[in-house]
Amino acid sequence: MNPGNGAPEGSLVPVRTVARLSQYRRVLDRLLDEGHRQVFSHQIAALAGGSAAQVRRDLMLVGCRGRPSKGYDAYGLKGCIEELLQAPGGQRVALVGLGNLGRAILPFFARYRPALRIVAVFDNDPRKIGEKLVEGCSPCQGMEELEQTVRQSGITIGVLTVPPGAAQGAADELIAAGVRGLVNFAPVVLEVPEGVFVEDIDLTTALEKAAYFAHHAGKPAEGGA
Amino acid sequence: MNPGNGAPEGSLVPVRTVARLSQYRRVLDRLLDEGHRQVFSHQIAALAGGSAAQVRRDLMLVGCRGRPSKGYDAYGLKGCIEELLQAPGGQRVALVGLGNLGRAILPFFARYRPALRIVAVFDNDPRKIGEKLVEGCSPCQGMEELEQTVRQSGITIGVLTVPPGAAQGAADELIAAGVRGLVNFAPVVLEVPEGVFVEDIDLTTALEKAAYFAHHAGKPAEGGA
DNA sequence: GCTTGTGAATCTCTTCACAGCG
DNA sequence: CGCTGTGAAGAGATTCACAAGC
């Protein structure tokens, strides 16, 4: 559980802050597109939906510095955030479970920046094996090839789009092969050793939250993930 | 923004608690399946990934009561949670954006409990209009039919699986037609009037969180949504 | 013994507010 | 002036710890 937070002990930057930084970077891309060379905390806050003080504190926490009255240098700030968010040589991602959701997510991530690349897909359905999927990603492989492929490709991140009953097993295999971060779409709480991070995306719970607050619409505001 | 929380002002139950209750219910279904008639807070905690004290406080907050040493009556507890989570006559849901993600999510929610039913789907691509999708849901309609359909069907929840640039417009239309809760998959911060709840599901940010903590794997633990 | 219910303490995150600089 | 950087205050959420009940 730990809905939305989860405390990486001993780690540098809190989970919430990392999530916000990811959004700040997206906002920065947009501001750069629009020709801004300097940005202010209140601009980022407006576009990312937070408060200016929050933005400043987040940036301070990760050592991005601005200058009074001149704001932050847009390029410098983007670089500063990316330096924190991205591993030097990029990171490789494996997706497990080529169902509807897996297929939908694949192109979504595939056309994504080079720092994170889905390079392998696994499924246990023989009919799916060998299927060519997206540019830069090996054709679908069987689960028995998972460990070796993940290890050899240096994959460190796994996306789980398998049925609930298969999620823990798939997670175990990925972790055994060296994966340290998981995005889990299965509505199951995964047991993972310390040092492995799990980001749960629970569509059912998300819908139920929206349903609850839609129903009890007194005056709720925003939620998020 | 507000990554993972978001404060419904004046509302009864905090967002985090609603999210956890949704998971407790799922855990209860499982425990009932296994034949349990009474459950303890520590059982729920173990399966939902929290602490027993957290479970008890959540249940206390919504008025579900157990009995010392006997735990909670499983059926009673499930009923108690559902009474809070579910609106009496059920709630109807509209999905906007029939791309890869929308198509994947549709069956995922469609075979879901009767309390929440996707009854309408909208897209602005003429080729998709009229397409029959899932049992109990009207064929795909054009955006120009959105307002009337949403209003007439009493739809109160919207799922946005449209491209980023179309999200705000779609949200505005849904809200104008009476929707009070949104699940937003577009990587954009929606501007909504007070009283409308937005649950953001940001796949990119989720992946980047996993990437960050996989990379800086000192000893992080769990995250969640 | 075992459990629940809950005040109090603790911890974490967010906002306030202002000094200091351009 | 406006904006950053940041200590201090505030608000929430979580855990502790224990009285009371079975």
Side-chain angles (χ1 to χ4, degrees):
Chain A
M1 164 145 318
N2 267 327
N5 56 4
E9 309 154 40
S11 174
L12 316 84
V13 183
V15 185
R16 314 279 265 279
T17 298
V18 172
R20 282 192 296 262
L21 288 170
S22 166
Q23 266 143 298
Y24 298 163
R25 186 167 61 71
R26 190 156 52 211
V27 165
L28 274 173
D29 281 338
R30 183 167 147 191
L31 289 170
L32 279 166
D33 261 8
E34 292 172 6
H36 292 79
R37 293 302 166 84
Q38 61 180 42
V39 299
F40 302 116
S41 58
H42 61 82
Q43 284 180 300
I44 298 174
L47 291 171
S51 73
Q54 179 79 82
V55 172
R56 290 202 304 276
R57 191 162 289 283
D58 286 335
L59 296 180
M60 188 191 84
L61 192 63
V62 301
C64 306
R65 302 190 68 79
R67 300 209 298 171
S69 176
K70 301 200 60 175
Y72 301 81
D73 170 62
Y75 285 110
L77 186 52
K78 186 186 172 190
C80 170
I81 293 175
E82 287 184 344
E83 191 179 335
L84 184 100
L85 250 37
Q86 298 176 0
Q91 286 173 91
R92 283 150 296 286
V93 183
L95 183 141
V96 185
L98 195 54
N100 286 328
L101 198 54
R103 278 180 210 276
I105 282 170
L106 205 47
F108 192 93
F109 285 154
R111 64 164 146 64
Y112 181 49
R113 48 199 74 250
L116 292 175
R117 279 175 38 220
I118 297 191
V119 297
V121 176
F122 302 94
D123 200 293
N124 64 3
D125 182 342
R127 287 168 301 181
K128 292 173 184 165
I129 293 169
E131 195 176 319
K132 180 71 184 156
L133 295 152
V134 287
E135 187 83 17
C137 173
S138 308
C140 182
Q141 297 175 274
M143 294 299 286
E144 65 282 355
E145 297 183 67
L146 191 148
E147 170 138 18
Q148 197 182 13
T149 301
V150 167
R151 202 177 290 284
Q152 282 184 355
S153 306
I155 290 169
T156 54
I157 301 160
V159 177
L160 290 173
T161 48
V162 297
Q168 183 65 56
D172 292 344
E173 290 189 56
L174 286 166
I175 293 165
V179 163
R180 314 300 296 266
L182 293 170
V183 179
N184 173 39
F185 286 85
V188 173
V189 175
L190 298 176
E191 296 271 339
V192 298
E194 235 195 340
V196 176
F197 178 85
V198 180
E199 172 75 6
D200 287 304
I201 296 188
D202 189 327
L203 302 179
T204 299
T205 292
L207 192 63
E208 289 193 328
K209 279 161 79 174
Y212 174 83
F213 291 107
H215 176 46
H216 296 83
K219 43 172 80 67
E222 299 241 344
Chain B
M1 163 148 316
N2 267 326
N5 57 3
E9 308 154 40
S11 172
L12 315 84
V13 183
V15 187
R16 314 279 266 278
T17 299
V18 172
R20 283 192 295 263
L21 288 169
S22 166
Q23 265 144 299
Y24 299 163
R25 186 167 62 70
R26 190 156 54 210
V27 165
L28 273 172
D29 281 339
R30 181 166 148 192
L31 289 169
L32 279 166
D33 261 10
E34 293 172 5
H36 292 79
R37 294 302 166 84
Q38 61 180 40
V39 298
F40 302 116
S41 58
H42 60 80
Q43 285 181 300
I44 298 174
L47 291 171
S51 73
Q54 179 79 81
V55 172
R56 291 202 302 276
R57 190 161 290 282
D58 286 334
L59 296 180
M60 188 190 83
L61 191 63
V62 301
C64 305
R65 304 191 67 79
R67 299 208 299 170
S69 176
K70 301 201 61 176
Y72 300 83
D73 171 61
Y75 285 110
L77 186 53
K78 185 185 172 188
C80 171
I81 293 175
E82 286 184 346
E83 191 178 334
L84 184 100
L85 250 37
Q86 299 177 358
Q91 285 173 93
R92 281 149 298 285
V93 183
L95 182 140
V96 184
L98 196 54
N100 285 327
L101 198 56
R103 277 180 211 276
I105 281 169
L106 204 49
F108 191 94
F109 285 154
R111 63 164 146 65
Y112 182 49
R113 47 200 75 251
L116 293 174
R117 278 175 37 222
I118 297 190
V119 297
V121 176
F122 303 93
D123 200 293
N124 64 1
D125 182 343
R127 287 169 300 182
K128 293 173 183 165
I129 293 168
E131 194 177 320
K132 180 70 183 156
L133 295 153
V134 288
E135 187 85 13
C137 173
S138 307
C140 182
Q141 296 175 273
M143 293 299 288
E144 65 282 355
E145 297 184 66
L146 190 149
E147 169 137 20
Q148 195 180 16
T149 302
V150 167
R151 203 178 290 283
Q152 283 184 354
S153 307
I155 290 170
T156 53
I157 302 160
V159 178
L160 289 174
T161 48
V162 297
Q168 183 66 57
D172 292 343
E173 290 188 56
L174 286 165
I175 293 165
V179 163
R180 312 301 296 268
L182 293 170
V183 178
N184 173 39
F185 285 86
V188 173
V189 175
L190 298 176
E191 296 271 337
V192 298
E194 237 196 338
V196 176
F197 178 85
V198 180
E199 171 75 4
D200 288 304
I201 297 188
D202 188 328
L203 301 180
T204 299
T205 291
L207 192 62
E208 288 194 329
K209 281 162 77 174
Y212 174 83
F213 290 108
H215 176 47
H216 296 83
K219 41 173 80 70
E222 300 239 346

